[in-house]
Amino acid sequence: MIRDNTKVIQIGDRQIGGGNPVLIQSMCNTKTEDVKATVQQIHRLEEAGCDIIRVAVPTMEAAMALKEIKKHIHIPLVADIHFDYRLAIASIECGADKIRINPGNIGSGERVAAVVEKAKEYGVPIRVGVNSGSLEKPLIEKYGGVTAEGIVESALEKVGMIERLGYDNLVISIKSSDVMMCIKAHELIAKKTRYPLHVGITESGTVLSGNIKSALGLGVILYQGIGDTIRVSLTGDPVEEVRSAKLILKTLGLKKGGVEVVSCPTCGRTRIDLIGLAGQVEEMVKDFDLDIKVAVMGCVVNGPGEAREADLGIAGGVGEGLIFSRGQILKKLPEDQLLAGLREELMKMVK
Ligand code: SF4
């Protein structure tokens, strides 16, 4: 399902493109200059399943901090640069595994060339990022507004600029907060380029709206085999971005592993705090590296049957509940022991 005709690009010790698995990216919201806080956040993101991390590099101090950050983390580090080409050069020298620039706001051709020269010297890929919000005036006029066609043309122009400098170690990202425009732009650009694409819906909002917009936008794009790395942008803890991205990939069958929790919507038969219990189960299963489905169901009468396809499940009753597997009852437990009982069964599966 993943496009395999894209160019393979090496980012640190990971490869994207050419049919490699779609990787999850996130971005730190700590001050990059604060090495301790940034490293701590990256560790939490690594644990959550983040494959590649990006940090903002707005100052020379931030660029210098990359050196120290790199020593303490285990995933590739991407430096995000706007406006100042010297920050891009310093970031590469300080060990960035990839840099993200918009050649349109880096300044003159010579400045872009200086960045490309440094990237060539270190073999560091450049992600050419174009955002609908920063589309150039002539393209807005040409297409009568901000359009998918305009974003694609802008990105390809910049890619052409770097190619003419003799460099093709590139990744492209085109972003828009308009989900439908973003989908269209990806469909268009996928036909016109073989560079891997980093896909995300930008400024998608707080956790609820960000998740819905990202799931829809990324879902449609990834389902067509387009996209090599993804980011779910949320106004919130970046760990939530990684969790959402994992769920999107798993739902599309693009990622394996991890316990999937399904739960019933509850109805008039529910006699336990199912919403609370489902949350507790979701939290508890994070410790298990099992590729299984766990169901949390609201009643013992219908629950085990409705969740017949689940490898393990809980069905709550009145004062007691069931632990079941593939529709078969394993044991009956007092309600307050259901979570521990489920954990015990999971432990058996790990062995
Ligand atoms: S499992 Fe039971 S409580 Fe949950 S929706 Fe079905 S019938 Fe209702």
mmCIF file of all heavy atoms in Angstrom, residues 27 32 54-60 62-64 66 77-94 96-107 111 115 124-130:
data_model
loop_
_atom_site.group_PDB
_atom_site.id
_atom_site.type_symbol
_atom_site.label_atom_id
_atom_site.label_comp_id
_atom_site.label_asym_id
_atom_site.label_seq_id
_atom_site.Cartn_x
_atom_site.Cartn_y
_atom_site.Cartn_z
ATOM 1 N N MET A 27 7.241 17.009 17.116
ATOM 2 C CA MET A 27 8.103 18.173 17.297
ATOM 3 C C MET A 27 8.061 18.598 18.758
ATOM 4 O O MET A 27 6.981 18.659 19.356
ATOM 5 C CB MET A 27 7.631 19.306 16.391
ATOM 6 C CG MET A 27 8.549 20.496 16.416
ATOM 7 S SD MET A 27 8.210 21.615 15.062
ATOM 8 C CE MET A 27 9.483 22.841 15.336
ATOM 9 N N THR A 32 14.549 24.746 22.656
ATOM 10 C CA THR A 32 15.664 23.872 22.263
ATOM 11 C C THR A 32 16.932 24.234 23.042
ATOM 12 O O THR A 32 17.757 23.372 23.341
ATOM 13 C CB THR A 32 15.892 23.979 20.742
ATOM 14 O OG1 THR A 32 14.637 23.764 20.102
ATOM 15 C CG2 THR A 32 16.901 22.971 20.242
ATOM 16 N N ARG A 54 11.696 16.521 15.631
ATOM 17 C CA ARG A 54 12.104 17.818 15.083
ATOM 18 C C ARG A 54 12.115 18.846 16.210
ATOM 19 O O ARG A 54 11.250 18.805 17.093
ATOM 20 C CB ARG A 54 11.113 18.221 13.988
ATOM 21 C CG ARG A 54 11.433 19.531 13.306
ATOM 22 C CD ARG A 54 10.699 19.630 11.970
ATOM 23 N NE ARG A 54 9.270 19.410 12.042
ATOM 24 C CZ ARG A 54 8.347 20.322 11.700
ATOM 25 N NH1 ARG A 54 8.721 21.516 11.274
ATOM 26 N NH2 ARG A 54 7.067 20.040 11.761
ATOM 27 N N VAL A 55 13.094 19.709 16.169
ATOM 28 C CA VAL A 55 13.130 20.797 17.151
ATOM 29 C C VAL A 55 13.298 22.117 16.411
ATOM 30 O O VAL A 55 13.901 22.172 15.336
ATOM 31 C CB VAL A 55 14.291 20.631 18.177
ATOM 32 C CG1 VAL A 55 14.077 19.424 19.074
ATOM 33 C CG2 VAL A 55 15.644 20.555 17.479
ATOM 34 N N ALA A 56 12.774 23.170 17.000
ATOM 35 C CA ALA A 56 12.916 24.504 16.411
ATOM 36 C C ALA A 56 14.315 25.022 16.687
ATOM 37 O O ALA A 56 14.855 24.836 17.785
ATOM 38 C CB ALA A 56 11.886 25.441 17.019
ATOM 39 N N VAL A 57 14.901 25.659 15.682
ATOM 40 C CA VAL A 57 16.217 26.274 15.873
ATOM 41 C C VAL A 57 16.112 27.763 15.523
ATOM 42 O O VAL A 57 16.449 28.178 14.420
ATOM 43 C CB VAL A 57 17.301 25.566 15.020
ATOM 44 C CG1 VAL A 57 18.668 26.210 15.239
ATOM 45 C CG2 VAL A 57 17.377 24.083 15.359
ATOM 46 N N PRO A 58 15.639 28.551 16.490
ATOM 47 C CA PRO A 58 15.463 29.979 16.195
ATOM 48 C C PRO A 58 16.690 30.827 16.537
ATOM 49 O O PRO A 58 16.744 31.992 16.148
ATOM 50 C CB PRO A 58 14.285 30.369 17.100
ATOM 51 C CG PRO A 58 14.326 29.400 18.240
ATOM 52 C CD PRO A 58 15.069 28.165 17.793
ATOM 53 N N THR A 59 17.648 30.253 17.257
ATOM 54 C CA THR A 59 18.827 31.035 17.684
ATOM 55 C C THR A 59 20.103 30.192 17.511
ATOM 56 O O THR A 59 20.034 28.963 17.394
ATOM 57 C CB THR A 59 18.740 31.377 19.189
ATOM 58 O OG1 THR A 59 18.721 30.132 19.931
ATOM 59 C CG2 THR A 59 17.498 32.176 19.528
ATOM 60 N N MET A 60 21.235 30.864 17.542
ATOM 61 C CA MET A 60 22.504 30.149 17.438
ATOM 62 C C MET A 60 22.702 29.245 18.669
ATOM 63 O O MET A 60 23.251 28.162 18.568
ATOM 64 C CB MET A 60 23.634 31.181 17.316
ATOM 65 C CG MET A 60 24.872 30.689 16.652
ATOM 66 S SD MET A 60 24.680 29.596 15.212
ATOM 67 C CE MET A 60 24.793 30.720 13.843
ATOM 68 N N ALA A 62 20.396 27.659 20.183
ATOM 69 C CA ALA A 62 19.599 26.435 19.930
ATOM 70 C C ALA A 62 20.375 25.499 19.006
ATOM 71 O O ALA A 62 20.420 24.278 19.213
ATOM 72 C CB ALA A 62 18.246 26.791 19.326
ATOM 73 N N ALA A 63 21.003 26.071 17.975
ATOM 74 C CA ALA A 63 21.791 25.239 17.045
ATOM 75 C C ALA A 63 22.914 24.533 17.806
ATOM 76 O O ALA A 63 23.154 23.333 17.617
ATOM 77 C CB ALA A 63 22.353 26.106 15.919
ATOM 78 N N MET A 64 23.571 25.269 18.687
ATOM 79 C CA MET A 64 24.667 24.688 19.470
ATOM 80 C C MET A 64 24.158 23.585 20.413
ATOM 81 O O MET A 64 24.857 22.610 20.685
ATOM 82 C CB MET A 64 25.383 25.773 20.295
ATOM 83 C CG MET A 64 26.098 26.807 19.440
ATOM 84 S SD MET A 64 27.303 26.009 18.360
ATOM 85 C CE MET A 64 27.393 27.120 16.994
ATOM 86 N N LEU A 66 22.034 21.414 19.859
ATOM 87 C CA LEU A 66 21.773 20.146 19.159
ATOM 88 C C LEU A 66 22.863 19.113 19.465
ATOM 89 O O LEU A 66 22.595 17.927 19.601
ATOM 90 C CB LEU A 66 21.693 20.360 17.639
ATOM 91 C CG LEU A 66 20.609 21.308 17.113
ATOM 92 C CD1 LEU A 66 20.650 21.336 15.588
ATOM 93 C CD2 LEU A 66 19.225 20.896 17.590
ATOM 94 N N LEU A 77 17.380 13.413 14.739
ATOM 95 C CA LEU A 77 17.029 14.768 15.162
ATOM 96 C C LEU A 77 16.966 15.693 13.939
ATOM 97 O O LEU A 77 17.920 15.779 13.165
ATOM 98 C CB LEU A 77 18.098 15.263 16.147
ATOM 99 C CG LEU A 77 17.924 16.623 16.785
ATOM 100 C CD1 LEU A 77 16.698 16.654 17.695
ATOM 101 C CD2 LEU A 77 19.170 16.976 17.617
ATOM 102 N N VAL A 78 15.845 16.358 13.790
ATOM 103 C CA VAL A 78 15.656 17.269 12.653
ATOM 104 C C VAL A 78 15.632 18.707 13.163
ATOM 105 O O VAL A 78 14.948 19.013 14.139
ATOM 106 C CB VAL A 78 14.318 16.969 11.931
ATOM 107 C CG1 VAL A 78 14.148 17.872 10.706
ATOM 108 C CG2 VAL A 78 14.230 15.503 11.539
ATOM 109 N N ALA A 79 16.395 19.563 12.492
ATOM 110 C CA ALA A 79 16.426 20.979 12.885
ATOM 111 C C ALA A 79 15.494 21.777 11.986
ATOM 112 O O ALA A 79 15.567 21.670 10.758
ATOM 113 C CB ALA A 79 17.856 21.499 12.760
ATOM 114 N N ASP A 80 14.629 22.546 12.601
ATOM 115 C CA ASP A 80 13.642 23.340 11.854
ATOM 116 C C ASP A 80 14.106 24.794 11.803
ATOM 117 O O ASP A 80 14.233 25.444 12.833
ATOM 118 C CB ASP A 80 12.306 23.253 12.598
ATOM 119 C CG ASP A 80 11.186 23.859 11.793
ATOM 120 O OD1 ASP A 80 10.978 25.084 11.894
ATOM 121 O OD2 ASP A 80 10.524 23.116 11.062
ATOM 122 N N ILE A 81 14.390 25.254 10.586
ATOM 123 C CA ILE A 81 14.972 26.595 10.455
ATOM 124 C C ILE A 81 14.119 27.501 9.578
ATOM 125 O O ILE A 81 13.661 27.095 8.510
ATOM 126 C CB ILE A 81 16.405 26.514 9.874
ATOM 127 C CG1 ILE A 81 17.300 25.839 10.907
ATOM 128 C CG2 ILE A 81 16.965 27.896 9.566
ATOM 129 C CD1 ILE A 81 17.788 24.516 10.490
ATOM 130 N N HIS A 82 13.955 28.707 10.056
ATOM 131 C CA HIS A 82 13.297 29.737 9.260
ATOM 132 C C HIS A 82 14.233 30.934 9.153
ATOM 133 O O HIS A 82 14.915 31.283 10.115
ATOM 134 C CB HIS A 82 11.998 30.191 9.940
ATOM 135 C CG HIS A 82 10.903 29.178 9.838
ATOM 136 N ND1 HIS A 82 10.078 29.082 8.749
ATOM 137 C CD2 HIS A 82 10.517 28.207 10.689
ATOM 138 C CE1 HIS A 82 9.222 28.095 8.940
ATOM 139 N NE2 HIS A 82 9.469 27.540 10.115
ATOM 140 N N PHE A 83 14.242 31.528 8.015
ATOM 141 C CA PHE A 83 14.883 32.828 7.764
ATOM 142 C C PHE A 83 16.419 32.875 7.763
ATOM 143 O O PHE A 83 16.993 33.463 6.874
ATOM 144 C CB PHE A 83 14.367 33.906 8.746
ATOM 145 C CG PHE A 83 12.863 33.939 8.820
ATOM 146 C CD1 PHE A 83 12.190 33.684 10.008
ATOM 147 C CD2 PHE A 83 12.108 34.189 7.672
ATOM 148 C CE1 PHE A 83 10.806 33.689 10.069
ATOM 149 C CE2 PHE A 83 10.724 34.203 7.727
ATOM 150 C CZ PHE A 83 10.078 33.950 8.920
ATOM 151 N N ASP A 84 17.085 32.284 8.751
ATOM 152 C CA ASP A 84 18.525 32.531 8.879
ATOM 153 C C ASP A 84 19.344 31.326 8.412
ATOM 154 O O ASP A 84 19.396 30.301 9.095
ATOM 155 C CB ASP A 84 18.840 32.859 10.343
ATOM 156 C CG ASP A 84 20.265 33.393 10.511
ATOM 157 O OD1 ASP A 84 21.101 33.167 9.608
ATOM 158 O OD2 ASP A 84 20.529 34.019 11.541
ATOM 159 N N TYR A 85 19.975 31.477 7.252
ATOM 160 C CA TYR A 85 20.717 30.347 6.674
ATOM 161 C C TYR A 85 21.877 29.902 7.560
ATOM 162 O O TYR A 85 22.281 28.739 7.541
ATOM 163 C CB TYR A 85 21.211 30.711 5.254
ATOM 164 C CG TYR A 85 22.435 31.575 5.222
ATOM 165 C CD1 TYR A 85 23.654 31.060 4.807
ATOM 166 C CD2 TYR A 85 22.401 32.904 5.616
ATOM 167 C CE1 TYR A 85 24.795 31.843 4.778
ATOM 168 C CE2 TYR A 85 23.523 33.694 5.591
ATOM 169 C CZ TYR A 85 24.718 33.161 5.175
ATOM 170 O OH TYR A 85 25.841 33.922 5.161
ATOM 171 N N ARG A 86 22.396 30.851 8.369
ATOM 172 C CA ARG A 86 23.531 30.484 9.245
ATOM 173 C C ARG A 86 23.112 29.457 10.295
ATOM 174 O O ARG A 86 23.891 28.620 10.718
ATOM 175 C CB ARG A 86 24.084 31.731 9.940
ATOM 176 C CG ARG A 86 24.832 32.638 8.975
ATOM 177 C CD ARG A 86 25.068 33.976 9.581
ATOM 178 N NE ARG A 86 23.784 34.602 9.953
ATOM 179 C CZ ARG A 86 23.647 35.824 10.432
ATOM 180 N NH1 ARG A 86 24.692 36.584 10.617
ATOM 181 N NH2 ARG A 86 22.463 36.313 10.735
ATOM 182 N N LEU A 87 21.853 29.521 10.689
ATOM 183 C CA LEU A 87 21.347 28.546 11.669
ATOM 184 C C LEU A 87 21.271 27.149 11.042
ATOM 185 O O LEU A 87 21.491 26.144 11.706
ATOM 186 C CB LEU A 87 19.958 28.965 12.182
ATOM 187 C CG LEU A 87 19.909 30.286 12.952
ATOM 188 C CD1 LEU A 87 18.476 30.630 13.325
ATOM 189 C CD2 LEU A 87 20.779 30.214 14.205
ATOM 190 N N ALA A 88 20.942 27.117 9.744
ATOM 191 C CA ALA A 88 20.885 25.823 9.039
ATOM 192 C C ALA A 88 22.282 25.217 8.965
ATOM 193 O O ALA A 88 22.484 24.021 9.242
ATOM 194 C CB ALA A 88 20.305 26.021 7.640
ATOM 195 N N ILE A 89 23.250 26.053 8.629
ATOM 196 C CA ILE A 89 24.636 25.568 8.517
ATOM 197 C C ILE A 89 25.144 25.083 9.882
ATOM 198 O O ILE A 89 25.693 23.985 10.014
ATOM 199 C CB ILE A 89 25.547 26.678 7.936
ATOM 200 C CG1 ILE A 89 25.165 26.898 6.458
ATOM 201 C CG2 ILE A 89 27.027 26.339 8.089
ATOM 202 C CD1 ILE A 89 25.865 28.044 5.778
ATOM 203 N N ALA A 90 24.887 25.893 10.920
ATOM 204 C CA ALA A 90 25.343 25.519 12.266
ATOM 205 C C ALA A 90 24.650 24.234 12.729
ATOM 206 O O ALA A 90 25.271 23.375 13.363
ATOM 207 C CB ALA A 90 25.066 26.664 13.239
ATOM 208 N N SER A 91 23.377 24.088 12.398
ATOM 209 C CA SER A 91 22.639 22.885 12.822
ATOM 210 C C SER A 91 23.250 21.630 12.203
ATOM 211 O O SER A 91 23.390 20.599 12.871
ATOM 212 C CB SER A 91 21.165 22.976 12.402
ATOM 213 O OG SER A 91 20.547 24.049 13.055
ATOM 214 N N ILE A 92 23.614 21.733 10.935
ATOM 215 C CA ILE A 92 24.239 20.577 10.267
ATOM 216 C C ILE A 92 25.574 20.264 10.941
ATOM 217 O O ILE A 92 25.872 19.117 11.271
ATOM 218 C CB ILE A 92 24.420 20.845 8.752
ATOM 219 C CG1 ILE A 92 23.055 21.020 8.069
ATOM 220 C CG2 ILE A 92 25.202 19.705 8.091
ATOM 221 C CD1 ILE A 92 23.118 21.495 6.624
ATOM 222 N N GLU A 93 26.347 21.318 11.188
ATOM 223 C CA GLU A 93 27.657 21.106 11.834
ATOM 224 C C GLU A 93 27.507 20.527 13.247
ATOM 225 O O GLU A 93 28.389 19.831 13.724
ATOM 226 C CB GLU A 93 28.432 22.437 11.887
ATOM 227 C CG GLU A 93 28.928 22.843 10.506
ATOM 228 C CD GLU A 93 29.539 24.238 10.475
ATOM 229 O OE1 GLU A 93 29.287 25.039 11.396
ATOM 230 O OE2 GLU A 93 30.253 24.527 9.510
ATOM 231 N N CYS A 94 26.379 20.832 13.888
ATOM 232 C CA CYS A 94 26.174 20.341 15.268
ATOM 233 C C CYS A 94 25.469 18.989 15.297
ATOM 234 O O CYS A 94 25.060 18.529 16.357
ATOM 235 C CB CYS A 94 25.393 21.364 16.072
ATOM 236 S SG CYS A 94 26.397 22.804 16.455
ATOM 237 N N ALA A 96 22.686 17.736 13.249
ATOM 238 C CA ALA A 96 21.295 17.484 12.834
ATOM 239 C C ALA A 96 21.288 16.377 11.774
ATOM 240 O O ALA A 96 22.136 16.350 10.881
ATOM 241 C CB ALA A 96 20.676 18.756 12.262
ATOM 242 N N ASP A 97 20.331 15.456 11.881
ATOM 243 C CA ASP A 97 20.244 14.350 10.915
ATOM 244 C C ASP A 97 19.457 14.756 9.676
ATOM 245 O O ASP A 97 19.485 14.061 8.662
ATOM 246 C CB ASP A 97 19.562 13.146 11.578
ATOM 247 C CG ASP A 97 20.396 12.611 12.728
ATOM 248 O OD1 ASP A 97 21.529 12.183 12.464
ATOM 249 O OD2 ASP A 97 19.929 12.648 13.878
ATOM 250 N N LYS A 98 18.729 15.843 9.784
ATOM 251 C CA LYS A 98 17.977 16.387 8.648
ATOM 252 C C LYS A 98 17.691 17.841 8.999
ATOM 253 O O LYS A 98 17.587 18.174 10.177
ATOM 254 C CB LYS A 98 16.663 15.608 8.463
ATOM 255 C CG LYS A 98 15.825 16.042 7.277
ATOM 256 C CD LYS A 98 14.643 15.089 7.031
ATOM 257 C CE LYS A 98 13.398 15.521 7.742
ATOM 258 N NZ LYS A 98 12.188 14.775 7.368
ATOM 259 N N ILE A 99 17.588 18.683 7.978
ATOM 260 C CA ILE A 99 17.141 20.041 8.292
ATOM 261 C C ILE A 99 15.876 20.314 7.515
ATOM 262 O O ILE A 99 15.666 19.786 6.421
ATOM 263 C CB ILE A 99 18.207 21.120 7.982
ATOM 264 C CG1 ILE A 99 18.661 21.058 6.522
ATOM 265 C CG2 ILE A 99 19.389 21.017 8.925
ATOM 266 C CD1 ILE A 99 19.344 22.337 6.078
ATOM 267 N N ARG A 100 15.036 21.132 8.119
ATOM 268 C CA ARG A 100 13.800 21.518 7.433
ATOM 269 C C ARG A 100 13.903 23.020 7.169
ATOM 270 O O ARG A 100 14.070 23.813 8.095
ATOM 271 C CB ARG A 100 12.597 21.206 8.313
ATOM 272 C CG ARG A 100 11.266 21.446 7.638
ATOM 273 C CD ARG A 100 10.701 22.786 7.993
ATOM 274 N NE ARG A 100 9.408 23.004 7.367
ATOM 275 C CZ ARG A 100 8.809 24.165 7.327
ATOM 276 N NH1 ARG A 100 9.366 25.236 7.836
ATOM 277 N NH2 ARG A 100 7.638 24.291 6.736
ATOM 278 N N ILE A 101 13.863 23.366 5.879
ATOM 279 C CA ILE A 101 13.885 24.786 5.528
ATOM 280 C C ILE A 101 12.813 25.069 4.489
ATOM 281 O O ILE A 101 12.339 24.152 3.807
ATOM 282 C CB ILE A 101 15.260 25.232 4.934
ATOM 283 C CG1 ILE A 101 15.631 24.389 3.696
ATOM 284 C CG2 ILE A 101 16.361 25.193 5.968
ATOM 285 C CD1 ILE A 101 16.798 24.972 2.882
ATOM 286 N N ASN A 102 12.454 26.325 4.381
ATOM 287 C CA ASN A 102 11.679 26.777 3.234
ATOM 288 C C ASN A 102 12.623 27.681 2.462
ATOM 289 O O ASN A 102 12.893 28.804 2.890
ATOM 290 C CB ASN A 102 10.439 27.550 3.718
ATOM 291 C CG ASN A 102 9.648 28.106 2.555
ATOM 292 O OD1 ASN A 102 10.121 28.080 1.407
ATOM 293 N ND2 ASN A 102 8.460 28.606 2.831
ATOM 294 N N PRO A 103 13.169 27.177 1.336
ATOM 295 C CA PRO A 103 14.160 27.984 0.625
ATOM 296 C C PRO A 103 13.631 29.377 0.283
ATOM 297 O O PRO A 103 14.403 30.312 0.101
ATOM 298 C CB PRO A 103 14.428 27.176 -0.651
ATOM 299 C CG PRO A 103 14.054 25.779 -0.295
ATOM 300 C CD PRO A 103 12.902 25.901 0.657
ATOM 301 N N GLY A 104 12.313 29.514 0.280
ATOM 302 C CA GLY A 104 11.694 30.802 -0.024
ATOM 303 C C GLY A 104 11.938 31.839 1.056
ATOM 304 O O GLY A 104 11.902 33.037 0.780
ATOM 305 N N ASN A 105 12.167 31.419 2.280
ATOM 306 C CA ASN A 105 12.390 32.438 3.315
ATOM 307 C C ASN A 105 13.804 32.423 3.898
ATOM 308 O O ASN A 105 14.082 33.029 4.918
ATOM 309 C CB ASN A 105 11.309 32.365 4.418
ATOM 310 C CG ASN A 105 11.419 31.124 5.301
ATOM 311 O OD1 ASN A 105 12.488 30.555 5.466
ATOM 312 N ND2 ASN A 105 10.301 30.719 5.867
ATOM 313 N N ILE A 106 14.702 31.734 3.214
ATOM 314 C CA ILE A 106 16.095 31.650 3.684
ATOM 315 C C ILE A 106 16.919 32.827 3.138
ATOM 316 O O ILE A 106 17.977 33.158 3.641
ATOM 317 C CB ILE A 106 16.708 30.274 3.261
ATOM 318 C CG1 ILE A 106 16.223 29.187 4.213
ATOM 319 C CG2 ILE A 106 18.207 30.279 3.128
ATOM 320 C CD1 ILE A 106 16.870 29.161 5.575
ATOM 321 N N GLY A 107 16.380 33.469 2.117
ATOM 322 C CA GLY A 107 17.092 34.628 1.562
ATOM 323 C C GLY A 107 17.592 34.361 0.157
ATOM 324 O O GLY A 107 16.999 33.561 -0.578
ATOM 325 N N ARG A 111 22.627 32.176 -0.407
ATOM 326 C CA ARG A 111 22.437 31.648 0.959
ATOM 327 C C ARG A 111 21.882 30.217 0.908
ATOM 328 O O ARG A 111 22.319 29.351 1.665
ATOM 329 C CB ARG A 111 21.509 32.561 1.758
ATOM 330 C CG ARG A 111 22.223 33.861 2.048
ATOM 331 C CD ARG A 111 21.412 34.839 2.825
ATOM 332 N NE ARG A 111 22.269 35.960 3.175
ATOM 333 C CZ ARG A 111 21.908 36.971 3.916
ATOM 334 N NH1 ARG A 111 20.683 37.033 4.396
ATOM 335 N NH2 ARG A 111 22.761 37.933 4.196
ATOM 336 N N VAL A 115 23.771 26.647 2.226
ATOM 337 C CA VAL A 115 23.145 25.598 3.046
ATOM 338 C C VAL A 115 23.260 24.251 2.331
ATOM 339 O O VAL A 115 23.620 23.227 2.932
ATOM 340 C CB VAL A 115 21.646 25.938 3.330
ATOM 341 C CG1 VAL A 115 20.962 24.789 4.058
ATOM 342 C CG2 VAL A 115 21.528 27.227 4.126
ATOM 343 N N VAL A 124 23.526 15.294 4.719
ATOM 344 C CA VAL A 124 22.288 15.480 5.492
ATOM 345 C C VAL A 124 21.128 15.843 4.564
ATOM 346 O O VAL A 124 21.250 16.767 3.755
ATOM 347 C CB VAL A 124 22.507 16.611 6.544
ATOM 348 C CG1 VAL A 124 21.199 17.078 7.143
ATOM 349 C CG2 VAL A 124 23.452 16.124 7.633
ATOM 350 N N PRO A 125 20.023 15.103 4.668
ATOM 351 C CA PRO A 125 18.894 15.441 3.794
ATOM 352 C C PRO A 125 18.226 16.770 4.172
ATOM 353 O O PRO A 125 18.253 17.168 5.336
ATOM 354 C CB PRO A 125 17.916 14.283 3.980
ATOM 355 C CG PRO A 125 18.368 13.527 5.156
ATOM 356 C CD PRO A 125 19.771 13.914 5.479
ATOM 357 N N ILE A 126 17.661 17.379 3.170
ATOM 358 C CA ILE A 126 16.929 18.631 3.396
ATOM 359 C C ILE A 126 15.448 18.365 3.165
ATOM 360 O O ILE A 126 15.070 17.788 2.137
ATOM 361 C CB ILE A 126 17.396 19.742 2.410
ATOM 362 C CG1 ILE A 126 18.884 20.050 2.631
ATOM 363 C CG2 ILE A 126 16.543 21.001 2.568
ATOM 364 C CD1 ILE A 126 19.448 21.057 1.629
ATOM 365 N N ARG A 127 14.663 18.766 4.120
ATOM 366 C CA ARG A 127 13.213 18.711 3.877
ATOM 367 C C ARG A 127 12.775 20.089 3.423
ATOM 368 O O ARG A 127 12.949 21.079 4.118
ATOM 369 C CB ARG A 127 12.463 18.321 5.151
ATOM 370 C CG ARG A 127 10.972 18.270 4.936
ATOM 371 C CD ARG A 127 10.265 17.836 6.200
ATOM 372 N NE ARG A 127 9.218 18.758 6.545
ATOM 373 C CZ ARG A 127 8.688 18.861 7.754
ATOM 374 N NH1 ARG A 127 9.147 18.128 8.744
ATOM 375 N NH2 ARG A 127 7.721 19.701 7.974
ATOM 376 N N VAL A 128 12.227 20.107 2.226
ATOM 377 C CA VAL A 128 11.732 21.356 1.674
ATOM 378 C C VAL A 128 10.277 21.493 2.095
ATOM 379 O O VAL A 128 9.424 20.709 1.681
ATOM 380 C CB VAL A 128 11.845 21.335 0.129
ATOM 381 C CG1 VAL A 128 11.294 22.624 -0.462
ATOM 382 C CG2 VAL A 128 13.288 21.111 -0.284
ATOM 383 N N GLY A 129 10.039 22.454 2.971
ATOM 384 C CA GLY A 129 8.693 22.591 3.516
ATOM 385 C C GLY A 129 7.982 23.807 2.973
ATOM 386 O O GLY A 129 8.518 24.905 2.953
ATOM 387 N N VAL A 130 6.776 23.578 2.475
ATOM 388 C CA VAL A 130 5.959 24.687 1.985
ATOM 389 C C VAL A 130 4.612 24.630 2.696
ATOM 390 O O VAL A 130 4.010 23.568 2.828
ATOM 391 C CB VAL A 130 5.765 24.598 0.453
ATOM 392 C CG1 VAL A 130 4.787 25.648 -0.026
ATOM 393 C CG2 VAL A 130 7.093 24.765 -0.259
#
